[in-house]
Amino acid sequence: MVTTKQPKQATPTGYSTDEHYFATRYKQGARTVFAFQLTPAEITSLVKRPNPEANNPGNRRIRLSHAQGFAKYFLERDNWVAPGIILRAPSIFSFDENSELSLPGAAFGFVSFPRRNQADIHILDGQHRILGFFLAEEIIARDLDKARDARATAKRVDGDKSAAYKQAEADISRLESVRDRFHTERVSIEIQVTDDMGMYRQMFYDIADNALGITASVKARFDTRKVVNRALPAVIDHPLLAGRTDLEVDRIRKSSPDYFTAKQVVEIIRVLIVGFDGRVSRRLEQELREGGVAQSATQFLDALVEVFPQLKAVQQGTLLPDSLRASSLLGSALFVRILAGAWFDLTTKHSFTIAMVKTFFEKLRPHLGAPVHENTIWKRELPPEIFNDGAYGPNGKRQASTALVATLVDWAIVTPEFLTKDPLPTPEARPEVNEDGDVAIDFSDLHDTKKLEVEERNAIEDIAAEATKKATKRTRAKTA
């Protein structure tokens, strides 16, 4: 007689009333914290989808574009990376500790909570990443549907040997690979247990306040996806920039010993390959090589040093960048970027050789003194909004900068007469006239007006006292 062992019956997971996870439990800031790792698919099942249109009392408003950017990053990058996500929840958890694996201050085991309490779990930090996972999940499903439909259409119309069918097959394979990543790769999750709204608001502030953040200059050094960033190390090794490029901040202080920031150098590199208003497309990113991009920037910098003695002095260390900023438009990163824009347009659209562009720059050379005044070509020959009075560089508005690039290109082509003449002298300062027509006195900041008032009052009192003495003498003389 053969007996068969009945399989052990288990409750289907879909009918379970609780969620269970492997987890670590520990204390942080006197709060209980549970830490575990979830796949993006599990995250979107655990947490409510963030809404960019709604205000969140415990977090900042969501920028949809930022979440879309993260979704795009996850979908396109097999080697993606993301920091941990921090959630918050009230005391809804139970913990089954494995005492054999526990350590001082940390316990390992199973954390569980009722599914009906899942809505009590909220985001403390990482809302853009979580929304990005929701968006990525939708894109994967949508694109798979499109690819399957394209495959069916191609098979019906052209057969399964056609290029369209093979392309659809390749798209499906790629998207299924991305979906596999969505369901297998993991992100660290922390759940901070707190019932106090004031406490979790303070926690959010503390997280944001203690985060250093990342400047565009730092991004330029570490984000190697962009060809201009990959070219940066070679470009800042140029003798003009070596040791004179701030790698941390985005804007240069007037007194800084550095010439440019890494962000400003990257902007110049970009302009030299796509023009002042150009963008490096995905196709161009794939086609360009950082070696060639760096070489283009090096040619430009070499030309600047050759044409402009001030920059040669900076390169040789005889002129400091802060002194250059105080005396020349070449101290302005924006002006140099505009020169790069003119260089690009002339060499790519107007058949100028590098020698011809340098000849044009030589004509500009006498006119680059700063600050700008009413007798300079920048005020006499340009619309007033491009340079402000007394400015050390162009107006920062993009429209004004684009117009200046176009004007320089025109000047290079037609060589206006004023470029061949010496610059006009700085106008003499005109004395200010007050409402009565008198010349106003511009007192020095060091002038003490209160002291002047006291001196004036004392002088008046001395004159009055002297007059009183004389009157007394005259009275006595008449009496005698």
Side-chain angles (χ1 to χ4, degrees):
M1 179 177 176
V2 178
T3 60
T4 58
K5 186 177 181 179
Q6 295 296 321
K8 184 178 179 180
Q9 297 296 316
T11 302
T13 57
Y15 293 95
S16 174
T17 59
D18 292 338
E19 293 283 353
H20 304 272
Y21 299 98
F22 292 109
T24 305
R25 184 185 65 186
Y26 55 90
K27 291 286 186 179
Q28 186 181 90
R31 298 177 300 275
T32 297
V33 180
F34 295 102
F36 42 94
Q37 293 74 41
L38 299 181
T39 67
E42 289 168 337
I43 292 172
T44 57
S45 297
L46 175 65
V47 184
K48 182 181 178 182
R49 179 184 181 125
N51 182 1
E53 302 300 323
N55 288 321
N56 187 337
N59 216 312
R60 71 183 72 183
R61 181 178 283 275
I62 295 171
R63 287 187 295 165
L64 179 59
S65 60
H66 189 44
Q68 290 170 333
F70 181 77
K72 182 174 182 290
Y73 166 74
F74 172 81
L75 294 171
E76 295 179 355
R77 302 281 291 186
D78 291 342
N79 59 346
W80 68 288
V81 62
I85 290 169
I86 305 178
L87 308 176
R88 60 176 175 85
S91 303
I92 59 175
F93 304 95
S94 60
F95 188 70
D96 185 9
E97 179 180 346
N98 186 332
S99 58
E100 296 180 0
L101 299 176
S102 297
L103 298 171
F108 301 91
F110 296 91
V111 65
S112 60
F113 60 90
R115 283 183 173 175
R116 64 178 177 271
N117 293 114
Q118 190 164 321
D120 295 329
I121 299 176
H122 302 281
I123 303 168
L124 186 60
D125 182 61
Q127 58 182 355
H128 289 94
R129 278 163 277 156
I130 291 176
L131 179 55
F133 285 136
F134 275 96
L135 296 173
E137 189 173 30
E138 291 174 351
I139 292 170
I140 293 169
R142 181 199 66 197
D143 289 357
L144 270 172
D145 282 344
K146 288 182 178 179
R148 288 170 181 146
D149 183 64
R151 180 178 62 181
T153 301
K155 184 176 182 180
R156 183 175 63 254
V157 175
D158 300 315
D160 57 9
K161 303 297 183 182
S162 65
Y165 182 89
K166 292 178 180 178
Q167 180 61 54
E169 282 273 271
D171 290 341
I172 292 171
S173 177
R174 174 182 58 80
L175 288 165
E176 288 179 340
S177 176
V178 175
R179 188 173 59 181
D180 287 345
R181 287 199 289 112
F182 195 83
H183 285 267
T184 57
E185 299 186 355
R186 295 181 179 269
V187 177
S188 295
I189 303 293
E190 278 187 7
I191 297 184
Q192 299 265 349
V193 180
T194 177
D195 301 317
D196 187 340
M197 179 175 289
M199 178 178 289
Y200 67 66
R201 283 179 172 173
Q202 182 64 46
M203 291 163 63
F204 172 76
Y205 171 81
D206 290 345
I207 292 169
D209 187 51
N210 290 316
L212 180 60
I214 183 169
T215 64
S217 285
V218 175
K219 288 180 182 178
R221 292 163 51 206
F222 292 101
D223 184 5
T224 57
R225 291 173 297 172
K226 297 182 177 180
V227 67
V228 291
N229 294 347
R230 297 196 300 273
L232 178 65
V235 176
I236 61 176
D237 274 344
H238 187 279
L240 177 62
L241 303 180
R244 302 182 186 90
T245 304
D246 194 317
L247 303 177
E248 299 294 332
V249 303
D250 291 342
R251 300 184 64 181
I252 284 287
R253 292 175 290 106
K254 288 183 179 180
S255 59
S256 173
D258 292 311
Y259 187 18
F260 293 143
T261 67
K263 173 182 180 291
Q264 292 168 340
V265 176
V266 163
E267 280 297 298
I268 292 170
I269 297 171
R270 178 191 61 79
V271 170
L272 289 168
I273 58 175
V274 293
F276 192 84
D277 287 323
R279 299 186 64 181
V280 183
S281 65
R282 184 184 301 180
R283 179 184 60 79
L284 200 56
E285 285 281 2
Q286 296 172 348
E287 293 176 356
L288 292 173
R289 295 293 176 266
E290 56 265 34
V293 172
Q295 184 178 8
S296 297
T298 298
Q299 287 179 333
F300 174 70
L301 294 173
D302 285 343
L304 294 185
V305 172
E306 181 181 342
V307 171
F308 301 117
Q310 304 99 313
L311 295 185
K312 188 169 186 178
V314 170
Q315 179 172 297
Q316 294 174 341
T318 57
L319 179 65
L320 296 178
D322 58 343
S323 297
L324 177 69
R325 282 189 285 273
S327 60
S328 173
L329 295 179
L330 293 170
S332 163
L334 175 56
F335 186 78
V336 174
R337 179 151 56 98
I338 287 169
L339 290 180
W343 172 289
F344 173 84
D345 284 357
L346 290 169
T347 55
T348 62
K349 301 176 183 179
H350 299 282
S351 302
F352 268 53
T353 64
I354 290 177
M356 293 167 67
V357 180
K358 288 195 290 186
T359 299
F360 168 61
F361 284 176
E362 288 170 356
K363 291 182 172 64
L364 290 178
R365 183 168 57 200
H367 301 279
L368 299 184
V372 168
H373 55 78
E374 63 186 53
N375 286 345
T376 61
I377 62 173
W378 313 108
K379 296 298 291 183
R380 291 189 297 109
E381 307 296 338
L382 295 173
E385 65 271 13
I386 294 183
F387 279 90
N388 297 326
D389 291 334
Y392 291 82
N395 188 318
K397 295 181 180 178
R398 176 167 291 277
Q399 185 176 1
S401 299
T402 302
L404 182 52
V405 171
T407 299
L408 292 180
V409 171
D410 289 342
W411 289 356
I413 294 171
V414 303
T415 312
E417 184 179 356
F418 59 79
L419 279 185
T420 63
K421 296 181 179 180
D422 292 335
L424 298 177
T426 303
E428 295 183 4
R430 300 189 187 98
E432 295 183 11
V433 179
N434 60 25
E435 295 178 354
D436 297 328
D438 297 325
V439 174
I441 300 174
D442 184 14
F443 289 110
S444 164
D445 292 339
L446 300 176
H447 190 88
D448 189 344
T449 56
K450 290 186 177 180
K451 183 179 179 181
L452 178 63
E453 292 173 1
V454 172
E455 291 175 350
E456 184 178 2
R457 186 172 61 250
N458 290 340
I460 293 172
E461 290 175 355
D462 289 343
I463 293 172
E466 186 64 28
T468 301
K469 287 181 182 180
K470 290 181 179 180
T472 302
K473 287 181 180 180
R474 286 196 298 270
T475 301
R476 286 176 181 174
K478 290 180 181 179
T479 304

